[in-house]
Each structure stands twice: as C-alpha cells, then as structure tokens.
C-alpha cells in the first residue's frame, strides 16, 4: 500500500518526514493541508492537530521523528536511517533530537526575520503564490521590522533564536570537517534532520517542492553566509545524492 503523507507545504518538519520516505526509497503520495479548519480532519485522523502525519496499512503515525522510527522498524531492508553500532546509533538519535530543538524550534523565527527583509526572496516566494498571498507577504514584510524595532521582547526573542541557529549550523560545519556525514561516513537520520530543518532558508530542487518555481530561492544572509557555506554545500549534495 502506498504511504500517504499529510503535510503543511512550508513545514520543515513535514519536509523531514518526506525526506525519510525518499531516503528509504518508498512509494508515497502527498496530501496538502493548510493551518486552520483543515486541522480538524488531522485531529480526527491522528488524535492531534500537528503535521506531518502518515497513513500506512491502517497505521497512523504523527511527528517527524516517530515517522522516521516507524519507517526504520517497518522497512529494515531499505537504506538505514540508524546505524547498527549502538554507540553511533545513540549519537545519531541525540544529534537528531538536538536539531529538532534548535533548528526545529528557532529556524522559522530566524526565517521570518531575514526573509521579510530580502527582496529577492520575497519576489521568488510571491511569484509562486496566489496574488492575494503575495500582497499579504509584502504587507507582513513592512510590519515585522517595525514591530521588532519597537517591541524589545520580540527583538530579544529573535536575537536568541538567531544565535541558536547560527551556533548550530557552525557546529554542523565543524562536524563536516572531520567526517563525510554528520555522524561518521554513512548517511543517517541526523543528516536528514539537518538538511531539512533549514528548508525555509534555501528551497531544494526537489521533485516534491510544493511550488517548483521556489527551487533555489534562499535567504541570502543565512544560506549564502561564508561562515555557513560548508553546511549548505553539504545540504545541496545530500539532496542531489539521496533525495528527490
């Protein structure tokens, strides 16, 4: 039975689950949802309102990490998401959890701060959206910097989020100086988490991108920063070699 992936199109956690399916070489189809009333259907399906969620042979699994672990248990003969070596396996799971907490939590805030100041990114995103959404993006782009400048708590929260994202990406760059992948010389769930949780900073040339015109659009102050170049080169290569 083909696996059904329910996702929010711009969700980095949804992209993480999709990448796990891709990495395993599994057949799947995507059902797109929008935040709001459509989440009632997700609640009826899974008992909670967040995405991603997958359906497979009568089993429903929510949460990107739980989906990846389910795929690893259910399809052990496919490329492995977790190493067989116990110590390496623990390292992969620990790094994946750390990335969920740092990039997963903070990347959307940093994206909002920088993307809405980047005309090239706004142009690319707007061109891939319906006209009303495009107009709304530009209105938001005008409001957010003003709110940040006038409201100290918002600015401090964004500063903290940006420090976390940049420190995390710098750590990943350092890891890649000593090994081919983030944990050793074989790809793993840690790599999938890292390359997908930066989804909003640079859209990959994926066949499953919700708007093909967005491929390559990036937040230049993050994705093209020279201090982070090693990681984004790795990200592009990982998509090319392991994902669709």
């Amino acid at each position: 039975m083909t696996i059904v992936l329910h996702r929010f199109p711009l969700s980095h956690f949804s992209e993480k689950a999709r990448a796990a399916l891709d990495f395993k070489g599994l057949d799947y189809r995507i059902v797109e949802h929008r935040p709001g009333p459509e989440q009632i259907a997700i609640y009826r399906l899974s008992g909670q309102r967040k995405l991603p969620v997958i359906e497979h042979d009568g089993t429903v699994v929510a949460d990107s990490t739980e989906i990846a672990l389910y795929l690893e248990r259910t399809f052990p003969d496919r490329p492995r998401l977790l190493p067989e070596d116990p110590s390496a396996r623990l390292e992969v799971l620990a790094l994946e959890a750390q990335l969920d907490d740092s990039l997963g939590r903070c990347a959307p805030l940093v994206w909002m701060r920088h993307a809405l100041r980047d005309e090239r990114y706004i142009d690319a995103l707007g061109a891939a959206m319906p006209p009303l959404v495009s107009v709304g993006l530009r209105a938001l782009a005008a409001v957010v910097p003003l709110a940040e400048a006038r409201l100290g708590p918002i600015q401090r929260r964004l500063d903290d989020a940006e420090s976390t994202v940049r420190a995390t990406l710098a750590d990943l760059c350092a890891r890649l100086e000593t090994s081919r992948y983030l944990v050793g010389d074989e790809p793993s769930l840690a790599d999938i988490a890292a390359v997908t949780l930066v989804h909003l900073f640079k859209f990959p040339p994926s066949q499953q991108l919700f708007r093909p015109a967005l491929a390559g659009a990036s937040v230049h102050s993050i994705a093209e920063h020279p201090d982070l170049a090693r990681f984004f080169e790795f990200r592009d290569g990982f998509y090319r070699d392991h994902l669709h």
Side-chain angles (χ1 to χ4, degrees):
M1 175 183 176
T2 298
I3 297 170
V4 179
L5 169 66
H6 297 267
R7 75 173 184 183
F8 292 135
L10 281 175
S11 162
H12 52 343
F13 282 117
S14 290
E15 177 63 3
K16 180 182 161 194
R18 190 200 68 78
L21 288 161
D22 250 12
F23 185 81
K24 284 280 192 183
L26 298 167
D27 292 327
Y28 63 94
R29 66 179 178 89
I30 294 172
V31 178
E32 308 282 19
H33 296 269
R34 291 171 294 183
E38 291 185 27
Q39 289 172 270
I40 295 172
I42 295 303
Y43 182 82
R44 290 171 178 164
L45 176 67
S46 65
Q48 52 86 61
R49 293 181 174 83
K50 295 180 180 180
L51 292 176
V53 167
I54 64 167
E55 298 177 78
H56 175 245
D57 281 347
T59 299
V60 176
V61 185
D63 182 83
S64 62
T65 299
E66 292 304 318
I67 289 169
L69 297 178
Y70 171 81
L71 297 178
E72 186 76 342
R73 292 191 304 269
T74 307
F75 303 98
D77 57 328
R78 301 292 184 124
R80 297 188 63 87
L81 291 166
L82 298 173
E84 292 187 29
D85 177 72
S87 61
R89 186 185 186 95
L90 287 175
E91 185 178 358
V92 166
L93 289 170
L95 180 56
E96 187 258 358
Q98 176 194 331
L99 294 171
D100 273 7
D101 183 59
S102 56
L103 296 179
R105 177 173 53 86
C106 296
L109 294 173
V110 180
W111 168 79
M112 180 181 70
R113 180 185 226 182
H114 287 275
L116 295 177
R117 293 175 175 174
D118 191 325
E119 282 295 324
R120 289 173 292 182
Y121 189 90
I122 290 294
D123 286 345
L125 197 59
M129 299 291 192
L132 286 178
V133 176
S134 181
V135 170
L137 280 172
R138 293 197 172 277
L140 189 61
V143 169
V144 168
L146 293 174
E148 181 183 349
R150 294 180 181 180
L151 299 175
I154 292 178
Q155 187 173 37
R156 286 192 293 273
R157 185 180 181 192
L158 292 174
D159 286 344
D160 289 345
E162 183 154 351
S163 294
T164 296
V165 166
R166 290 187 181 272
T168 300
L169 294 178
D171 177 66
L172 297 180
C173 287
R175 282 177 173 267
L176 292 169
E177 293 299 324
T178 60
S179 60
R180 184 179 178 188
Y181 293 98
L182 293 176
V183 180
D185 293 324
E186 297 293 333
S188 72
L189 180 57
D191 299 290
I192 287 175
V195 303
T196 57
L197 293 178
V198 297
H199 187 61
L200 293 170
F201 295 136
K202 186 177 183 181
F203 288 109
S206 167
Q207 297 173 13
Q208 301 296 345
L209 195 61
F210 81 107
R211 293 287 189 275
L214 283 175
S218 66
V219 179
H220 297 267
S221 54
I222 301 291
E224 297 184 14
H225 193 287
D227 291 346
L228 307 177
R230 179 68 186 89
F231 172 74
F232 282 97
E233 290 169 3
F234 170 77
R235 202 294 289 265
D236 291 347
F238 195 91
Y239 266 86
R240 182 182 63 246
D241 296 339
H242 299 289
L243 305 176
H244 302 133

